[in-house]
Amino acid sequence: MRGEFKTGMKAPPTHAPKVLLKKPKIHVVSFGCQMSFADSSEMAQSFLNKGFSSGESLDLADAVVISTCTVRQHAEDRAISFIGRLRSWKKQKPHRLLVVAGCAAERLGPKIKERFPHVDLVIGAKSIEGFSKIIEDILSEKYDLAAESAADFPQTPRLSQGSACDFVTIMRGCNYSCSYCIVPSVRGREKYRTVETIMEETKAKIASGVKEITLLGQTVNSYQSEYQDKTVKFPDLLRILDRIEGLKRLRFMSPHPHYVTKEMVSAFKDCPTVCHYLHLPLQSGSNRVLKMMRRNYTRELFMDKVRMLKSELPHLVLSTDAIVGFPTETEADFDETLSFIKEFQPAWIYSFKYSPRPGTLSSMELPDDVPSPVKEERLARLNDLAREIGRATLKGKVGQTVEVLEENENFGRTRDGFKVKWKGGDKSIGEVHSVKIVDASDFLLIGEK
Ligand code: SAH
Ligand code: SF4
């Protein structure tokens, strides 16, 4: 059955006549995290290589690829509901191809096709590297692609169309085993892309108009690979990419505290493109909870890294992730998270209510015993604190003149990651402006040129 194909397996021949696709269009939708967004860009490339062009809207699309995430239940639910809504899209033109890919596809596998027979292909996150071959098989079996459209090849996929920023995945999977996290089971262990591939993709994106690249990986700074007979570690990769002509800004997401080293800090200091912003996921401020989460650090160790970063890079802006309501989390544990955040002072926090994910250690061995209203209430308190710190950080910027990269037609961003809207001067996506900050609201700086 289609939905059960794995990488490298050829589709069984069908005897249905081929459909002629003239100037076919692909529409890519991603639900959830930035990794899933970047995966969808890579998958789009397989279609573009076969002569498809990017479709702006669902109505015009001949193929839809849905890139799914399963880290939290909410992202998975949104993707599932979207797949259901595409029943009528498929019914209107039965030649249309519907592909569901990514982490939720890996977790749910054939269940997706059982529930949604209008889905043509389910490809799990572990098979993404074989995506191109699988698509090639299915396209050549079902369609005659008009020769004229294939002339568009090669194109560089730009999912963030109309933006000066894009992502490059440098590694997949994760070697950690945080007890709440589904990533290792749906994405497998760490696999690194080669330095050559990363450079090639970065250069192609820059050639297509991108000015800022965010390197992606679940523990992005554990990256290592062999290149020109040497082992390239993450700080070395930053130095290599920093030299690429036309790159204005380099960011990365998400680093693990364990790999925050002096070498990484030196690369920050030496590489002009590397932005002085770091997302460092904490999860909890309580050592008891961190231990149950299997995060492999204590609050003291984490704070040592924060102190080192702040003293070496005084202008570095930090942000973080936190989970509230982890099994058995008491008021005292949660207070430790709040007190830690007060000392840490991240400029913003992505905060989540714990949700048990199937097959994870915490879901199997620990009761989801923090009542929902308590999770809500802790989340609200954490968000209040985050807003307070964020507001003070933003107010501190008022009066400064900052470098803003115009990301898209609505806003730009400072090197340290703050969103800016400003008046005056000509607008042009990808331009760098010098903007005087005159005001600040909760998550936005207001400027004048
Ligand atoms: N690799 C990164 C984060 C990956 S998942 C790291 O090591 O931190 C992104 C975020 O989702 C996590 O940082 C965590 O805060 C949140 N998350 C993951 N699993 C979760 C779960 N079961 N319940 C609630 N939040 C979760
Ligand atoms: Fe998940 Fe932990 Fe790996 Fe991050 S480090 S992806 S939270 S297992």
Side-chain angles (χ1 to χ4, degrees):
M1 243 169 93
R2 272 290 140 65
E4 286 157 14
F5 287 154
K6 285 286 171 204
T7 312
M9 285 178 74
K10 211 169 155 33
T14 63
H15 301 291
K18 287 190 181 185
V19 177
L20 176 70
L21 281 187
K22 267 187 134 190
K23 296 198 171 130
K25 288 197 182 324
I26 177 198
H27 185 78
V28 182
V29 191
S30 131
F31 288 92
C33 61
Q34 285 166 325
M35 294 291 285
S36 124
F37 184 79
D39 284 353
S40 51
S41 152
E42 243 178 281
M43 293 188 281
Q45 181 72 69
S46 309
F47 281 89
L48 299 178
N49 288 352
K50 293 298 289 177
F52 276 67
S53 58
S54 320
E56 299 290 300
S57 76
L58 264 179
D59 285 350
L60 295 176
D62 298 289
V64 167
V65 175
I66 303 176
S67 182
T68 60
C69 171
T70 187
V71 167
R72 290 173 297 277
Q73 186 65 43
H74 181 62
E76 187 176 300
D77 292 346
R78 282 171 53 228
I80 294 295
S81 126
F82 185 71
I83 297 168
R85 293 205 302 278
L86 287 187
R87 220 177 253 118
S88 56
W89 171 85
K90 174 89 181 187
K91 219 170 174 183
Q92 280 162 14
K93 294 184 184 166
H95 80 268
R96 284 170 158 170
L97 189 68
L98 178 53
V99 181
V100 180
C103 289
E106 183 73 44
R107 187 179 94 70
L108 297 166
K111 282 193 201 133
I112 295 183
K113 260 202 72 81
E114 278 162 26
R115 184 165 163 201
F116 304 109
H118 61 290
V119 170
D120 294 281
L121 191 62
V122 179
I123 304 181
K126 286 179 186 157
S127 307
I128 183 173
E129 273 133 37
F131 188 84
S132 155
K133 176 82 180 78
I134 299 170
I135 286 303
E136 194 173 308
D137 283 351
I138 207 168
L139 289 177
S140 56
E141 179 211 323
K142 280 184 83 165
Y143 307 108
D144 261 336
L145 292 171
E148 57 193 298
S149 59
D152 292 344
F153 168 80
Q155 303 177 42
T156 308
R158 286 286 312 283
L159 274 194
S160 33
Q161 287 291 350
S163 166
C165 310
D166 212 338
F167 301 98
V168 172
T169 301
I170 65 166
M171 60 174 292
R172 300 186 198 285
C174 180
N175 287 354
Y176 281 81
S177 45
C178 304
S179 61
Y180 53 83
C181 182
I182 200 168
V183 168
S185 78
V186 288
R187 285 198 175 259
R189 292 182 66 77
E190 288 180 8
K191 273 200 219 150
Y192 313 107
R193 294 179 87 200
T194 64
V195 173
E196 287 88 343
T197 315
I198 296 166
M199 284 175 74
E200 205 177 293
E201 195 173 317
T202 305
K203 284 179 182 167
K205 292 201 164 172
I206 290 169
S208 80
V210 170
K211 308 285 182 210
E212 176 183 303
I213 291 289
T214 301
L215 306 176
L216 292 180
Q218 290 297 349
T219 55
V220 72
N221 51 343
S222 70
Y223 177 87
Q224 59 172 11
S225 174
E226 294 304 309
Y227 177 60
Q228 297 181 339
D229 298 328
K230 285 198 193 108
T231 301
V232 167
K233 296 207 170 176
F234 184 71
D236 310 315
L237 182 69
L238 292 179
R239 290 176 190 278
I240 291 171
L241 298 178
D242 178 63
R243 292 197 289 267
I244 292 180
E245 184 83 30
L247 177 66
K248 287 195 174 142
R249 291 181 176 183
L250 189 56
R251 302 184 187 282
F252 53 89
M253 189 84 139
S254 294
H256 191 282
H258 180 76
Y259 299 95
V260 170
T261 57
K262 292 258 182 206
E263 289 72 30
M264 196 184 101
V265 169
S266 300
F268 264 73
K269 289 181 180 168
D270 297 341
C271 301
T273 63
V274 175
C275 294
H276 285 207
Y277 160 68
L278 196 72
H279 179 73
L280 206 54
L282 168 71
Q283 314 302 0
S284 169
S286 148
N287 280 339
R288 195 185 72 82
V289 173
L290 284 172
K291 196 164 181 198
M292 282 196 296
M293 287 179 163
R294 301 190 165 210
R295 284 295 285 178
N296 285 310
Y297 53 76
T298 58
R299 61 183 271 147
E300 291 76 18
L301 268 173
F302 193 101
M303 191 49 85
D304 284 349
K305 300 272 176 176
V306 171
R307 284 203 195 104
M308 185 271 280
L309 286 166
K310 287 187 174 181
S311 78
E312 295 283 333
L313 303 163
H315 301 296
L316 183 75
V317 167
L318 291 154
S319 63
T320 199
D321 286 350
I323 299 176
V324 301
F326 187 80
T328 77
E329 185 189 68
T330 60
E331 242 347 84
D333 291 317
F334 179 65
D335 279 344
E336 292 203 59
T337 299
L338 293 180
S339 70
F340 192 93
I341 294 286
K342 280 181 193 154
E343 198 178 340
F344 176 14
Q345 293 278 308
W348 57 91
I349 305 176
Y350 299 94
S351 46
F352 307 104
K353 282 182 289 179
Y354 169 76
S355 67
R357 306 304 292 129
T360 55
L361 209 67
S362 66
S363 77
M364 293 186 296
E365 293 188 350
L366 299 166
D368 182 15
D369 59 355
V370 179
S372 197
V374 176
K375 284 183 186 165
E376 291 285 351
E377 191 262 339
R378 288 183 189 164
L379 189 74
R381 276 159 67 199
L382 182 60
N383 287 342
D384 284 347
L385 175 61
R387 213 168 292 118
E388 201 181 294
I389 300 172
R391 209 175 281 149
T393 316
L394 263 69
K395 289 270 180 243
K397 297 255 169 207
V398 174
Q400 292 181 13
T401 299
V402 293
E403 181 202 289
V404 178
L405 173 71
E406 192 172 335
E407 276 193 15
N408 56 42
E409 57 191 20
N410 296 317
F411 61 84
R413 214 177 278 273
T414 62
R415 292 187 71 82
D416 49 10
F418 296 102
K419 239 184 197 181
V420 185
K421 285 196 181 211
W422 70 100
K423 279 196 209 129
D426 290 340
K427 294 270 159 79
S428 173
I429 293 171
E431 284 295 303
V432 172
H433 306 269
S434 181
V435 175
K436 172 139 200 238
I437 302 303
V438 293
D439 200 0
S441 64
D442 270 3
F443 297 103
L444 186 68
L445 294 172
I446 314 291
E448 275 172 8
K449 243 194 117 175

